[in-house]
């Protein structure tokens, strides 16, 4: 499981508690296809999600909104996703970290895959 991220459009300022759209291009840099649909037991769906961290590295949001793939993503292929992101309720400086997740299995970062981290000012 590895991924390459390219931020296409990620706001660097957002109002506290508001919703924003981040446009992220992802590439399946692994050896297996990523399924867009779950198996009958609800496992294996791959999605783009996020975590919010404060400036000291503390977790503010551990389990952000999922953005599902538009279809299966095969090795070496890319896909651009419009990710819905909900900002923290408290104003301040944060780090927004995008991470792929295989539902009911693991976060990609837990398997040593890359993440995309961007600074965001929450006003």
């Amino acid at each position: 499981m590895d991924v390459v991220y390219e931020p296409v459009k990620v706001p660097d300022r957002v109002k506290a508690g508001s919703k924003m759209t981040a446009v992220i291009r992802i590439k399946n840099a692994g050896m297996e296809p990523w399924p867009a649909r779950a198996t009958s037991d609800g496992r294996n769906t791959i999605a783009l999600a996020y975590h919010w961290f404060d400036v000291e590295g503390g977790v503010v949001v551990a389990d952000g909104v999922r953005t599902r793939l538009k279809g299966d993503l095969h090795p070496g292929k890319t896909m651009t996703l419009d990710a819905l992101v909900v900002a923290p309720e408290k104003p301040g400086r944060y780090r927004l970290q995008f991470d792929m997740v295989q539902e009911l299995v693991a976060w990609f970062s837990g398997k040593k895959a890359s993440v995309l981290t961007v600074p965001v000012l929450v006003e």
Side-chain angles (χ1 to χ4, degrees), residues 39-94:
T39 56
S40 60
D41 62 359
R43 299 171 72 89
N44 293 330
T45 302
I46 305 288
L48 175 65
Y50 59 86
H51 317 287
W52 283 100
F53 296 93
D54 62 24
V55 292
E56 289 83 32
V59 177
V60 177
V61 174
D63 202 7
V65 177
R66 293 341 192 224
T67 300
R68 299 204 180 269
L69 299 179
K70 299 171 186 174
D72 293 349
L73 189 59
H74 295 277
K77 300 297 182 185
T78 62
M79 181 179 291
T80 301
L81 299 172
D82 295 337
L84 173 65
V85 177
V86 179
E89 294 291 331
K90 183 179 173 185
R93 295 189 180 280
Y94 294 89

Side-chain angles (χ1 to χ4, degrees), residues 7-29:
V8 175
K9 182 180 177 186
V10 181
D12 59 358
R13 290 175 179 247
V14 64
K15 291 186 185 271
S18 69
K19 295 176 183 177
M20 67 176 180
T21 299
V23 181
I24 308 291
R25 183 172 296 119
I26 57 171
K27 178 181 180 179
N28 179 346

